[in-house]
Amino acid sequence: MTDVRPAVSVDGPAEAGVLNTLFHSDLGGHEQVVLCQDRPTGLKAVIAIHSTALGPALGGTRFHAYADAADPAEAALRDALNLARGMSYKNALAGLPHGGGKAVIIGDPERLKTEELLLAYGRCVAALGGRYITACDVGTYVQDMDVVARTCRWTTGRSPEQGGAGDSSVLTAFGVFQGMLACAQHLWGAPTLEGRTVGVAGVGKVGRLLVGHLLEAGARVVITDVREQAVREVLDAHPGAPVRAVPDTDALIGTEGLDVYAPCALGGALDDATVSRLTARVVCGAANNQLAHPGVEKDLDDRGVLYAPDYLVNSGGVVQVADELNGFDFARAKAKVQKIFDTTLEIFDRARTEGVPPAVAADRVAEQRMAQAAEH
């Protein structure tokens, strides 16, 4: 039987670390955090609900092992808390009637993911009674959401055969591309990337599709990924196109003539070392939580690098799965995602007017919308 509970017993250093993160860190402010466990299937998951001011929390399910962390449980909790907060801001900026939430299933999806585990996870989400609506994220896919939906009706990102919207990466990539066009308009005076060189770090579900948009727009593309197979698939898909691979992110950000850097893998891509070496004039990518720590947004601004806030430009996927809740219409969802271009320009204009980095301006807009909703 699935055990859904809001706390764990403290009988060791790992459990103590989790509770310290919950109650004594600067990551607080969430409405609800649920720790889920199902011993028969090996399920261990964190569901974080940051805000429901604008409506039920909506956000994906990440399946990740955190193998490099000293305490994988604490690392997963921190990730869930950060991602849930980011979803609140993302949904607010996208104009969606949803708050922010996120779930993390702890473990290697290649080894641990089974139908029984996903069904148990669905029961955990269902126990929240609709306060949290789940979808895909890193390590989970459309077919996984089809399984989760069998035990939880608050599931999006399902296959078209099951009445869903399909792969949300499609409109996520399209939205990031719209954000890049807005960056080009703001910085270079025209909404085009023709002749520009764009570096894409991470060519998984979203990055791979983004490369296609960039090549169609006449850009030159440089790619890297920790998985050689992912790189090979992109190169094979575009024979003869101006796309090439480099060994790692360090080589990518040091590419001569790089105009745009697009982090499309995991979070924390913009740290002190990266920012100090960055030659690109624009950062605009699909990864969540790109700023490694507070202050990085100012460092980028001080160096004259135009940063498109990640939760602004990568909101296409959540717009897509939110549309699924009303009976999915791709044309309607794509039209909403195309508005990322205008919203990005509005954020840049506000940042210039208020004399703050774009990330600060975006935060202010999202916080204002959530505060106004909470008052009513």
Side-chain angles (χ1 to χ4, degrees):
M1 180 177 179
T2 304
D3 177 18
V4 184
R5 48 188 176 166
V8 292
S9 59
V10 182
D11 56 7
E15 288 81 0
V18 167
L19 290 181
N20 283 335
T21 298
L22 272 173
F23 298 123
H24 303 294
S25 76
D26 59 355
L27 298 175
H30 294 66
E31 292 182 9
Q32 187 176 8
V33 179
V34 178
L35 308 182
C36 309
Q37 181 171 267
D38 182 67
R39 294 187 186 280
T41 63
L43 172 70
K44 293 182 178 179
V46 180
I47 301 173
I49 298 174
H50 177 258
S51 171
T52 57
L54 291 167
L58 174 62
T61 297
R62 178 163 295 190
F63 206 138
H64 191 62
Y66 303 92
D68 296 333
D71 182 350
E74 184 181 10
L77 175 61
R78 286 181 173 273
D79 212 11
L81 294 174
N82 277 324
L83 291 166
R85 178 186 287 109
M87 289 306 304
S88 287
Y89 284 64
K90 181 185 299 189
N91 293 340
L93 272 190
L96 296 175
H98 291 285
K102 206 78 171 188
V104 171
I105 299 175
I106 306 169
D108 180 356
E110 298 297 324
R111 293 190 310 103
L112 191 62
K113 188 192 296 181
T114 62
E115 181 177 294
E116 291 75 17
L117 181 144
L118 293 171
L119 292 171
Y121 169 68
R123 290 191 290 272
C124 291
V125 177
L128 294 171
R131 282 177 52 78
Y132 169 62
I133 302 167
T134 196
C136 302
D137 195 73
V138 174
T140 59
Y141 301 87
V142 168
Q143 58 267 33
D144 298 327
M145 293 302 107
D146 283 347
V147 176
V148 172
R150 285 157 51 189
T151 53
C152 177
R153 65 188 181 94
W154 292 286
T155 305
T156 58
R158 295 164 295 144
S159 67
E161 294 76 15
Q162 297 297 320
D167 185 5
S168 63
S169 303
V170 173
L171 289 185
T172 302
F174 179 70
V176 173
F177 179 64
Q178 294 302 308
M180 278 193 195
L181 293 179
C183 291
Q185 172 69 56
H186 180 81
L187 191 62
W188 297 308
T192 177
L193 294 165
E194 186 171 2
R196 300 289 178 184
T197 300
V198 181
V200 181
V203 286
K205 292 189 288 185
V206 176
R208 172 177 56 85
L209 295 171
L210 178 60
V211 169
H213 288 301
L214 293 169
L215 292 173
E216 289 177 7
R220 297 181 293 268
V221 183
V222 186
I223 64 172
T224 191
D225 197 294
V226 295
R227 297 160 300 139
E228 292 183 10
Q229 180 62 27
V231 170
R232 178 49 50 194
E233 288 176 357
V234 170
L235 295 177
D236 290 346
H238 302 283
V243 55
R244 63 185 178 90
V246 293
D248 51 36
T249 302
D250 283 343
L252 180 67
I253 63 175
T255 298
E256 185 176 353
L258 191 68
D259 295 298
V260 181
Y261 172 47
C264 293
L266 296 177
L270 299 173
D271 55 19
D272 295 335
T274 299
V275 172
S276 67
R277 295 187 56 243
L278 193 63
T279 58
R281 292 286 310 281
V282 172
V283 175
C284 178
N288 288 309
N289 296 333
Q290 292 172 23
L291 304 177
H293 60 79
V296 174
E297 72 284 351
K298 186 176 185 304
D299 292 340
L300 289 166
D301 203 48
D302 289 345
R303 295 193 69 241
V305 177
L306 181 64
Y307 171 61
D310 47 41
Y311 66 82
L312 164 60
V313 300
N314 70 11
S315 62
V318 74
V319 171
Q320 178 171 328
V321 297
D323 193 84
E324 180 180 324
L325 298 171
N326 302 308
F328 183 62
D329 182 289
F330 183 81
R332 178 178 63 200
K334 185 175 182 181
K336 293 177 182 176
V337 174
Q338 199 155 13
K339 294 178 182 178
I340 289 174
F341 177 88
D342 295 325
T343 307
T344 303
L345 287 178
E346 290 170 8
I347 292 299
F348 290 155
D349 287 344
R350 177 163 178 165
R352 180 165 50 193
T353 298
E354 298 182 358
V356 297
V360 174
D363 284 354
R364 288 177 178 175
V365 172
E367 289 163 1
Q368 183 178 21
R369 291 179 180 176
M370 286 187 279
Q372 290 173 343
E375 292 174 357
H376 294 88

